[in-house]
Amino acid sequence: MNAEGLVEVVLPGKVEPEGLQIRHGAVPAAGPGQVVIRMEATGVSFAEQQMRRGRYYDQPPFPFVPGYDLVGTVQATGEGVEPGLAGTRVAALVKVGGWASHVLVDAADVVPVPDGIGAAAAETLVVNGITAWQMLHRKARVRAGHTVVVHGANGGVGSVLVQLAQAAGAQVIGTASERHHDALRERGVVPVDYRADDVAARIRALAPRGGVHAVFDHVGGRGIVDSWRLLAPGGTLVSYGSASTRDAEGSKQWPVLKLLLRVWTWNALPNRRRAYFFNVWAGRALAKNRFRARLRTDLTQVFAALQRGEVSAQIAAQLPLARAAQALRLAESGTVAGKVVLNP
């Protein structure tokens, strides 16, 4: 069917980025209900940075092909799949397996990418866009007139959160390192240096008197308590990661369990505030069809926001799949804004 072969990047174990391996093989065939996507863009997210350290809490055993999400064209459809899907550009959230030239995906898991949106632009908004949209609209229910705090406002998820919050009419206070402050001010964000000693006090001084409506925290660790204390009555804390433990040793589950325990305790108290630990995969095991419908709805909304100019696609750099090690190094350096994208 196809003269070209499969090229994929393998994470063989706990390695430095240079330890990634390139593997060649046969392009997979689409089984019943499946499609083969010819990858056009995949990306480096925080998950892969955790996985190469063996620190992502539910990663598969080594060796495996990383790659959290991808955008590409449907090359082949399996039995029971609408044949018209072939030749269309789609996005998919896969958790692992995206760093490959061809990826096998259940047809029910693909989301059409509207015409006029490039593959790399769409890629920047798959996992980051769904995460930001669901936290903002499904968890915190942010509306016009609200003030919100976004930690890591220049990051992959943070930059999308900022723009979607502003599109909803909210005021944004964003933490970032000093070098990103001018860019944040140009966007209408009030910046705070996250390296300052008194981050919480600085935010409180900028926030409305009663507190803020929502805090989005990807750092976890001890700072989560400060995030909780910034909330006004009726406010929502959404914790969505434990970046503070990226380089830590010991249990990879414990930082997440600690966060979950804290969230559960706060929610049990009669304090009129809510805390969530957001996981983009929540609900998939129990109600797969509902999960897929929600994912499709929300990613379609994000792509529409991109087309309206409410969200911009921030591509930090584009590198070929064979240079995945450099891409990972660049993403981990903290020197770039936006998403590092891999192309075939």
Side-chain angles (χ1 to χ4, degrees), residues 32 45 49 66 159 171 178 204 227 232 248 254 303 305:
S45 58
Q49 301 174 33
S159 57
Q171 294 290 316
E178 195 87 49
R204 202 168 279 109
S227 290
W254 180 233
F303 287 150

Coordinates of all heavy atoms in Angstrom, one line a residue, residues 32 45 49 66 159 171 178 204 227 232 248 254 303 305:
P32 N -10.4 -2.8 12.8 CA -11.8 -2.4 12.9 C -11.9 -1.2 13.8 O -11.3 -1.2 14.9 CB -12.5 -3.6 13.4 CG -11.6 -4.8 13.1 CD -10.2 -4.2 13.1
S45 N 5.5 18.1 25.6 CA 4.7 18.7 26.7 C 5.4 18.3 28.0 O 6.4 17.6 28.0 CB 3.3 18.2 26.7 OG 3.3 16.8 26.7
Q49 N 8.7 15.3 29.6 CA 9.8 15.7 30.5 C 9.7 14.9 31.8 O 10.8 14.5 32.3 CB 9.7 17.2 30.8 CG 9.7 18.1 29.6 CD 9.5 19.6 30.0 OE1 9.9 20.0 31.0 NE2 8.9 20.3 29.1
P66 N 6.9 7.9 23.3 CA 6.2 9.0 24.0 C 5.5 9.9 22.9 O 5.5 9.5 21.7 CB 7.3 9.8 24.7 CG 8.5 9.6 23.9 CD 8.4 8.2 23.2
S159 N -0.3 30.1 28.8 CA -0.6 31.2 27.8 C -1.9 31.0 27.2 O -2.6 32.0 26.8 CB 0.5 31.1 26.7 OG 0.6 29.9 26.1
Q171 N -10.2 39.5 34.2 CA -8.9 40.2 34.5 C -7.9 39.1 34.9 O -8.3 38.2 35.7 CB -9.0 41.2 35.6 CG -9.9 42.4 35.3 CD -9.3 43.3 34.2 OE1 -8.1 43.6 34.3 NE2 -10.1 43.7 33.2
E178 N 10.8 37.3 35.2 CA 10.9 38.7 34.8 C 11.0 38.9 33.3 O 10.4 39.8 32.7 CB 12.1 39.3 35.5 CG 12.2 40.8 35.5 CD 11.4 41.4 36.7 OE1 11.7 41.0 37.8 OE2 10.6 42.3 36.4
R204 N -1.8 39.3 46.3 CA -2.9 39.8 47.2 C -3.0 41.3 47.0 O -4.1 41.8 47.0 CB -2.7 39.3 48.6 CG -3.9 39.3 49.5 CD -3.8 38.7 50.8 NE -3.8 37.2 50.7 CZ -2.8 36.4 50.9 NH1 -1.6 36.9 51.2 NH2 -2.9 35.1 50.8
S227 N -2.0 29.4 47.1 CA -3.0 29.6 46.0 C -4.4 29.5 46.6 O -5.3 30.3 46.3 CB -2.8 28.4 45.0 OG -1.6 28.7 44.2
A232 N -11.4 34.1 46.9 CA -12.5 34.8 47.6 C -13.5 33.7 47.9 O -13.5 32.6 47.3 CB -13.1 35.8 46.6
A248 N 12.6 15.8 41.4 CA 12.7 15.1 42.7 C 12.9 13.6 42.5 O 12.7 13.0 41.4 CB 11.4 15.3 43.5
W254 N 3.4 9.9 45.0 CA 3.2 10.6 46.2 C 2.8 12.1 46.1 O 1.9 12.6 46.7 CB 4.4 10.4 47.2 CG 4.2 11.1 48.5 CD1 5.1 12.0 49.0 CD2 3.1 11.0 49.4 NE1 4.7 12.4 50.3 CE2 3.4 11.8 50.5 CE3 1.9 10.3 49.4 CZ2 2.6 12.0 51.6 CZ3 1.1 10.5 50.5 CH2 1.4 11.3 51.6
F303 N -10.5 25.5 18.7 CA -10.1 25.8 17.4 C -10.9 27.0 16.8 O -10.4 27.8 16.1 CB -10.3 24.5 16.5 CG -9.3 23.4 16.6 CD1 -9.7 22.1 16.4 CD2 -8.0 23.7 17.0 CE1 -8.7 21.1 16.6 CE2 -7.1 22.7 17.2 CZ -7.4 21.4 16.9
A305 N -12.0 29.5 18.7 CA -11.4 30.6 19.3 C -10.1 31.1 18.6 O -9.8 32.2 18.4 CB -11.1 30.3 20.8

